[in-house]
Amino acid sequence: MSNHAVENAGIVASKVAAYGGASGAVVAGLTLNELGVIVGIFVGLTGLILGQIWSWRKDRREAREQELRMRRDFGSNWSEL
């Protein structure tokens, strides 16, 4: 390995160690109650986002279904009625 590659590996290793140490300090400093609040917020936000995605997909399905029904009942130029 060249000196440049060894130097880059050292830089990456030091960044990983620094971020890992900082993350460990934050997690170790949290109480069980605080950790529970964070997990609860994460679960709540995930549920909200997934609910919105499913609602959006349902709306799209229903709009396509309505379009097909209108074309069936009134022909391809139903929007001109």
Side-chain angles (χ1 to χ4, degrees):
M1 286 184 10
S2 69
N3 279 342
H4 189 64
V6 171
E7 204 171 295
N8 283 340
I11 291 170
V12 169
S14 66
K15 284 184 179 181
V16 168
Y19 291 136
S23 300
V26 167
V27 171
L30 295 176
T31 65
L32 192 55
N33 288 337
E34 292 167 339
L35 197 56
V37 168
I38 291 170
V39 169
I41 290 171
F42 176 74
V43 168
L45 287 175
T46 303
L48 175 69
I49 291 168
L50 290 176
Q52 291 300 315
I53 289 170
W54 284 318
S55 176
W56 177 68
R57 291 178 66 189
K58 179 183 175 193
D59 289 344
R60 285 183 46 209
R61 275 193 314 271
E62 289 174 352
R64 283 193 309 256
E65 181 183 1
Q66 182 64 24
E67 174 78 21
L68 291 173
R69 285 183 181 170
M70 295 298 280
R71 285 179 190 250
R72 182 193 65 203
D73 294 342
F74 299 108
S76 60
N77 58 350
W78 66 269
S79 60
E80 297 173 6
L81 296 176

